[in-house]
Amino acid sequence: PREHQEDKAFLETLLAEYAAQYYRAWNVKSRLYDGIKELLDTLVQRRIRMGVLSNKPQEATRRCVDYYLGDYTFAAVLGQQADRPPKPDPTGVRELVAHLEVPAESCCYLGDTAVDMHTALCAGMFAVGVTWGFRDIEELQDAGAQAIIHHPRELLPLINA
């Protein structure tokens, strides 16, 4: 029907405007969460391989990682691409694991949403919910988080276990 086409066109216009605004101001109020740099420094010292998987578009993901985390080396930085279904589909995380060159079962997957917890569990990873991010602890628990941490330093005992 015509109304559906008009709604779809309007939605596409809104999404294009949102993307344009995001690309102009993506880092205006953004910063690393407290403790992230120290955690990453420790992981690097311990030679623990790391990767990034985001539902943000690939270009935005790469730009953000380069800007905030440019001092660190990641096995892969994967943002959303047309040929890869978004999280929680396990396709992206399986690609990431291939770059990490370790079994999924030996990986911790940190995330701040139910989608992240579902992604980790679908891939057979240890799902770690973080409370300093986007969602609350109840959402993470309900989504099956196998551990909940409130500060990045709390990851280290989980890795040592």
Side-chain angles (χ1 to χ4, degrees), residues 45-59:
Q45 288 171 355
R46 294 183 183 183
R47 299 182 196 274
I48 295 175
R49 294 175 57 82
M50 304 176 290
V52 175
L53 178 65
S54 176
N55 273 349
K56 285 183 176 71
Q58 178 66 34
E59 181 184 338

Side-chain angles (χ1 to χ4, degrees), residues 128-146:
V128 180
V130 303
T131 60
W132 61 81
F134 186 57
R135 302 288 188 185
D136 61 31
I137 191 170
E138 290 79 17
E139 177 179 318
L140 299 168
Q141 290 170 329
D142 292 346
Q146 295 164 295

Side-chain angles (χ1 to χ4, degrees), residues 95-108:
E95 184 179 337
L96 184 64
V97 167
H99 287 281
L100 290 169
E101 300 176 331
V102 296
E105 308 81 53
S106 69
C107 295
C108 286

Side-chain angles (χ1 to χ4, degrees), residues 13-154:
T13 300
L14 283 178
L15 287 173
E17 288 177 20
Y18 170 79
Q21 177 61 27
Y22 180 82
Y23 280 106
R24 278 193 298 273
W26 66 273
N27 64 347
V28 170
K29 292 190 177 188
S30 298
R31 63 174 180 77
L32 289 179
Y33 289 108
D34 292 339
I36 293 295
K37 184 179 179 333
E38 293 79 10
L39 171 64
L40 294 176
D41 288 343
T42 301
L43 295 176
V44 167
Q45 288 171 355
R46 294 183 183 183
R47 299 182 196 274
I48 295 175
R49 294 175 57 82
M50 304 176 290
V52 175
L53 178 65
S54 176
N55 273 349
K56 285 183 176 71
Q58 178 66 34
E59 181 184 338
T61 300
R62 184 79 252 176
R63 183 186 299 179
C64 186
V65 169
D66 288 347
Y67 184 82
Y68 289 107
L69 304 170
D71 292 339
Y72 301 96
T73 300
F74 295 92
V77 175
L78 304 178
Q80 187 54 47
Q81 294 179 310
D83 63 342
R84 185 185 316 114
K87 299 183 295 182
D89 184 280
T91 303
V93 77
R94 288 183 182 137
E95 184 179 337
L96 184 64
V97 167
H99 287 281
L100 290 169
E101 300 176 331
V102 296
E105 308 81 53
S106 69
C107 295
C108 286
Y109 185 111
L110 274 67
D112 61 355
T113 68
V115 168
D116 290 319
M117 298 304 97
H118 295 308
T119 303
L121 296 170
C122 284
M125 294 179 162
F126 188 72
V128 180
V130 303
T131 60
W132 61 81
F134 186 57
R135 302 288 188 185
D136 61 31
I137 191 170
E138 290 79 17
E139 177 179 318
L140 299 168
Q141 290 170 329
D142 292 346
Q146 295 164 295
I148 303 282
I149 60 175
H150 307 285
H151 189 277
R153 72 176 157 262
E154 295 175 27

